[in-house]
Amino acid sequence: MATPGPVIPEVPFEPSKPPVIEGLSPTVYRDPETFKEKFLRKTRENPVVPIGCLATVAALTYGLYSFYRGDSRRSQLMMRTRIAAQGFTVTALLLGLAVTAMKSRP
């Protein structure tokens, strides 16, 4: 039985460049998106999620302000409102994912 010789690659390996794999492109998009472009695209795809996030932040902020002022009743109400807004946001996110999954099916 013959022993295999050392494998010599055709092209030398360069660590500064990604490996070239036949049939695989390194990025899906031709132009990489900026943060602002991606945020706007995602907001257009599912506009209810940012509204839920803003409602959560508003309830939290007002609840903390009420707590600071000593209005414990209003603070408790705002913390419960924050929980409801978080639930709304998570539900909107899951429904958005489900709709996107249904759209991508042929």
Side-chain angles (χ1 to χ4, degrees), residues 54-68:
L54 290 174
T56 302
V57 169
L60 176 64
T61 303
Y62 190 61
L64 289 174
Y65 176 71
S66 297
F67 180 75
Y68 176 74

Side-chain angles (χ1 to χ4, degrees), residues 6-57:
V7 177
I8 301 171
E10 296 174 12
V11 180
F13 175 71
E14 297 207 21
S16 63
K17 296 181 180 177
V20 178
I21 301 172
E22 188 177 330
L24 179 69
S25 63
T27 60
V28 176
Y29 305 106
R30 295 180 192 248
D31 299 327
E33 288 180 300
T34 63
F35 175 78
K36 182 179 177 181
E37 291 170 343
K38 185 174 183 178
F39 178 77
L40 291 174
R41 179 176 58 85
K42 293 285 188 178
T43 301
R44 274 186 239 110
E45 288 175 4
N46 196 355
V48 184
V49 172
I51 293 169
C53 290
L54 290 174
T56 302
V57 169

